[in-house]
Amino acid sequence: MMSLTEACAEIFFAYRSLPLFQKLLDDSGISAGDVNEDSFHLVPMTTKADYRRGFPAKAVNQSEWDPELVFTSRSSGTTGERLITVVHRHLLAERMVTTVRMNPLVERQVLGRENKRVARFAAPNCSDIECASPFTAMEDRNLPDGTLVLPVAHDLLATPPAIVDQIISELSGYEPAWLYVDPTHLAFLTGRLAECGVDRLPGKAIVVTYSMYTQPAVRALAAVAEAVPVVEVISMSEFGWMGIQCPNGAQHLNTECFHFEVLRGGRPASEGELGELVVTSIGDRLSPHIRYRTGDLVEIRAPQCPCGLPGPIVRHHGRWSACLRSSGGASVTPRQVDDALADITELSFYRVDQPEPDRLRCRILVRDCDEPKVALLVSERLRELVPSAGDAEVAIVSHIEAERSGKFSYCGGLGPEGGDLS
Ligand SMILES: [Zn+2]
């Protein structure tokens, strides 16, 4: 595996240039000179907390620091603690280009000078500028790279009609080449646009990322995006673009720019199994990330895809901290919850919470339907999924709040027992 050789080289570099990693490796008793493809798995893993505490003195290679060439991202942690990451702009661009090339359907819509106008619609924190706030002028939300950050309310489902009007007018004035969006945000917007008589979105492609692409969002986007490709990208504010759906719909990881591991209780997950995505950057001279625990769960799929791409294929299952806890300590992922409710087409938004191990609460927003019947069906599905929680309390509501970060989460479980998957 080519990326493993390169990941070993990244370890040597990080050891020489990042005090944070030097200390971790020294403490582990492993000599940097002994790291090779066979011993890679013994190298200590790093976490968000390491990089948060180490920033900037211990997590950045000061000799490569040049404010002109560096992009600074602030991630919207669900815990409310913000993580600052710096990365060279050229490396971010390379990650995006090599990722999008894995999908020729959107490559030509997204790359190239003529496609610089992008409209972004996501939680305010995700847009890197505080000014996704609707109170700012459109010019202030226009980034130097050509991205227009659309205004958004912090609590997505409480977005007032005035902001929706503002978005409609900004989109028609800006005529973006493509859209870069959180799928739940766009699902909400398409519903409001339909009420305003707007039945199509501008642009030649829709790239969804930031959060899980759930079935209600898939349905909402299908209604407005008949003519344009909608493609899901795996991205993180720490890394930029890391993977993309190919034209066959399989989610491929970008192994040109990253070395990936999927780990379950410390060992590599096998095909069909779930594990945590652990990432080592390749060629990052500014703030290399070594065996970085993302906190995201993925399932390893069959390695072959008719598209012929070499990278591993995964299915994204959401944050591991959001998993529901079932009997015997088993974890039920946000994706498994979504799969269980997938065919209940009346649902437009839902949120499942687990205040205690034996209790599930589910709030749903529905379209015109036989409400008690739908609520009963949701309750039955959740009971099948997490039998130990008994009958889920299902309530039909008119609003579900976003997380403190501004993201909308469908699932708020207790997380795996003991903090790891079993
Ligand atoms: Zn493929």
Side-chain angles (χ1 to χ4, degrees), residues 331-410:
S331 293
V332 176
T333 67
R335 174 69 70 197
Q336 288 163 336
V337 172
D338 195 60
D339 287 347
L341 304 178
D343 64 342
I344 310 180
T345 55
E346 295 87 350
L347 295 182
S348 43
F349 296 92
Y350 67 84
R351 175 160 175 125
V352 181
D353 285 287
Q354 185 175 32
E356 293 149 47
D358 57 356
R359 198 174 146 224
L360 285 187
R361 263 177 75 211
C362 181
R363 289 171 290 160
I364 56 177
L365 263 77
V366 294
R367 269 178 280 279
D368 300 330
C369 63
D370 180 345
E371 295 185 355
K373 194 174 146 201
V374 170
L376 185 64
L377 190 55
V378 169
S379 178
E380 282 170 7
R381 293 290 172 80
L382 292 174
R383 193 189 168 93
E384 283 164 25
L385 196 62
V386 189
S388 53
D391 285 327
E393 305 154 25
V394 178
I396 292 171
V397 297
S398 56
H399 177 253
I400 299 172
E401 73 289 348
E403 302 266 319
R404 198 147 50 122
S405 65
K407 280 192 185 180
F408 183 92
S409 291
Y410 291 84

Side-chain angles (χ1 to χ4, degrees), residues 246 248 250 252 305 307:
C246 75
N248 298 313
H252 292 262
C305 179
C307 77

Side-chain angles (χ1 to χ4, degrees), residues 102 244-252 304-309 313:
M102 297 195 285
I244 193 169
Q245 265 179 333
C246 75
N248 298 313
Q251 191 65 252
H252 292 262
Q304 305 304 338
C305 179
C307 77
L309 285 168
I313 302 170

Side-chain angles (χ1 to χ4, degrees), residues 76-82 122-126 152-158 182 184-185 210-212 319 321-323 334 350-354 363 399-414:
S76 48
T78 37
T79 53
E81 285 186 277
R82 281 193 149 198
N125 284 345
C126 300
V152 60
H154 196 81
D155 190 3
L156 176 67
L157 301 192
D182 181 305
T184 303
H185 277 64
Y210 296 114
S211 65
M212 215 173 68
R319 305 286 304 163
S321 55
C323 286
Y350 67 84
R351 175 160 175 125
V352 181
D353 285 287
Q354 185 175 32
R363 289 171 290 160
H399 177 253
I400 299 172
E401 73 289 348
E403 302 266 319
R404 198 147 50 122
S405 65
K407 280 192 185 180
F408 183 92
S409 291
Y410 291 84
C411 191
L414 292 165

Side-chain angles (χ1 to χ4, degrees), residues 6 38 44 46 48 52 62 64 73 80 123-124 155 158 166 190 211 233 259 320 322 324 339 364 384:
E6 290 167 318
D38 296 324
T46 59
K48 275 177 212 275
R52 185 187 296 124
Q62 302 299 329
E64 286 282 336
S73 86
D155 190 3
Q166 197 180 342
T190 57
S211 65
V233 160
H259 174 69
W320 85 210
L324 304 179
D339 287 347
I364 56 177
E384 283 164 25

